[in-house]
Amino acid sequence: MEIIKNVLSDVKKRNPNEPEFYQAVEEVLNSITPVLEKNERYRNTGILERLVEPERQIIFRVPWVDDNGKVRVNRGFRIQFNSAIGPYKGGIRFHPSVYSGIVKFLGFEQIFKNSLSGLPIGGGKGGADFDPKGKSDGEIMRFCQSFMNELFRHIGADIDVPAGDIGVGKREIGYLFGQYKKLKNGYEAGVFTGKGLTYGGSLVRKEATGYGLIYFVKKMLEQNGHSLEGKKVIISGAGNVAIYACEKAQQLGAKVIAMCDSKGYIYDEKGINIDTIKTIKEIKRQRISEYTNYNPNAEYYGNQRDIWNVKCDLALPCATQNDIGIEEAEKLIENQVKFIGEGANMPCTNQALELFLKNNILVAPAKAANAGGVSTSALEMSQNSIRLSWSFEEVDEKLKEIMENIFELTSKSAMKYSSKTNYIAGANIAGFIKVAEAMLSQGVI
């Protein structure tokens, strides 16, 4: 459509050298073409033009002192993208790759993911080009405190609620929240999610994205006459998403045979021992290659990207963006993969997704399938508001219900506007319609 071409052209001009952001916008806009054709209001009210422009972009200096007394300087970001359905909600990422394009792409995706959750949260994202790897606890604390010295001005329980992401776990959230509390001279527990259980965190938050991914994939398989039982699974990544996707998949009868970190991957024909992975990654913070010391029959390979050469029924990219490109997609198809579940944010390139759809492979798209994390964050916000804590079973049941509702919404939109099994289009359309209607209701702001 002409309007989509014009908006995409404008996005490129206004956001040069930000391919990740452009990729995310292109995928959404191309998916919602059928909706735009049927609804003139979405074409003639500036909805698309407003949707692709963040409501607010904050970039700031983060100076800190390392253990040798040397002053270091990083750059911090917060993109408050869309607040049509609730306060901005999205994680903070600490990684050397972070720049405005990455944060914008993540924030844009977050708009639709949060919309699909059915919970009153808008889209935002933040981060810094800081690498926590190899840093002492003291260095990380000083960095987090300096980061919060600026960010505290822009967040709040009813304004913008950050959480963790890559490089930001319970330790970092603790330091960030502690500094926020000091600066604000008040205990506003609802301003952060992913907190420790001793100061307002929620059970299941650590497991939520991985568990939610499997709940969604399970529904997708069942709708198409399949079961998780006995399926061979490979998972990229070794963080929370990957670990707990592995745990839940195995609980539901699947067999996870390969996992990786950024250095390489392990293959265990008998099935990955999840307790060993937790020991290596969560307790000892070691490389996944250590797995063979616990399970000598397992195999370790030095190239992480070669994990996609392992033959499987279900592939779960749970590491980072653009993990699967054309070459990896072709190899998976050659090895007769049947299902893809996106656990990370935008882990497949647009070209890879097109290839999967063309080959009738069922894809559980990230903005729907990995919404379990932010959904449980919203449940944490609810618990903070009522000053109560729910049990693990209560939160897990609510998470399961949310993910099943997201699947139903995605599936209905796919059938109405695209095809029964194009869940990518279904997720984009369902998320877009809710946000667009809220924006139209609130006027031009």
Side-chain angles (χ1 to χ4, degrees), residues 97-162:
S97 67
V98 169
Y99 78 110
S100 58
I102 288 282
V103 181
K104 269 190 255 183
F105 126 62
L106 292 168
F108 186 74
E109 288 280 288
Q110 202 77 43
I111 299 168
F112 308 101
K113 184 190 304 183
N114 293 357
S115 171
L116 286 167
S117 75
L119 301 165
I121 42 178
K125 206 74 178 184
D129 57 356
F130 169 77
D131 189 356
K133 288 183 180 178
K135 304 293 193 302
S136 70
D137 282 354
E139 288 174 322
I140 288 172
M141 181 184 71
R142 292 191 292 275
F143 178 83
C144 289
Q145 290 172 341
S146 180
F147 185 86
M148 187 50 64
N149 284 342
E150 175 60 34
L151 188 64
F152 88 98
R153 311 169 199 277
H154 311 287
I155 62 176
D158 296 313
I159 301 168
D160 183 352
V161 183

Side-chain angles (χ1 to χ4, degrees), residues 213-254:
L213 170 65
I214 301 304
Y215 291 146
F216 187 98
V217 168
K218 180 175 182 288
K219 289 290 290 183
M220 181 179 76
L221 265 62
E222 289 172 351
Q223 188 188 64
N224 292 276
H226 300 280
S227 166
L228 269 174
E229 188 74 34
K231 295 290 185 294
K232 288 187 177 181
V233 183
I234 60 175
I235 303 176
S236 70
N240 282 347
V241 184
I243 289 171
Y244 292 98
C246 176
E247 180 172 87
K248 183 57 67 174
Q250 290 181 334
Q251 286 176 4
L252 297 177

Side-chain angles (χ1 to χ4, degrees), residues 191-218:
V191 72
F192 262 95
T193 58
K195 301 183 295 297
L197 295 176
T198 55
Y199 61 99
S202 175
L203 292 163
V204 192
R205 180 59 189 88
K206 180 171 66 171
E207 297 87 351
T209 309
Y211 278 19
L213 170 65
I214 301 304
Y215 291 146
F216 187 98
V217 168
K218 180 175 182 288

Side-chain angles (χ1 to χ4, degrees), residues 1-9 29-30 33 36 48:
M1 291 182 71
E2 193 65 26
I3 186 173
I4 290 178
K5 289 179 182 177
N6 292 339
V7 171
L8 287 174
S9 176
L29 294 193
N30 285 335
T33 299
L36 299 176
L48 298 186

Side-chain angles (χ1 to χ4, degrees), residues 7 53 62 103 121 137 140 156 165 196 212 220 229 258 264 292 327 342 368 405 442:
V7 171
E53 188 66 29
V62 188
V103 181
I121 42 178
D137 282 354
I140 288 172
D165 194 80
M220 181 179 76
E229 188 74 34
T292 55
E327 288 184 17
E342 293 190 306
N405 288 340
Q442 295 167 26

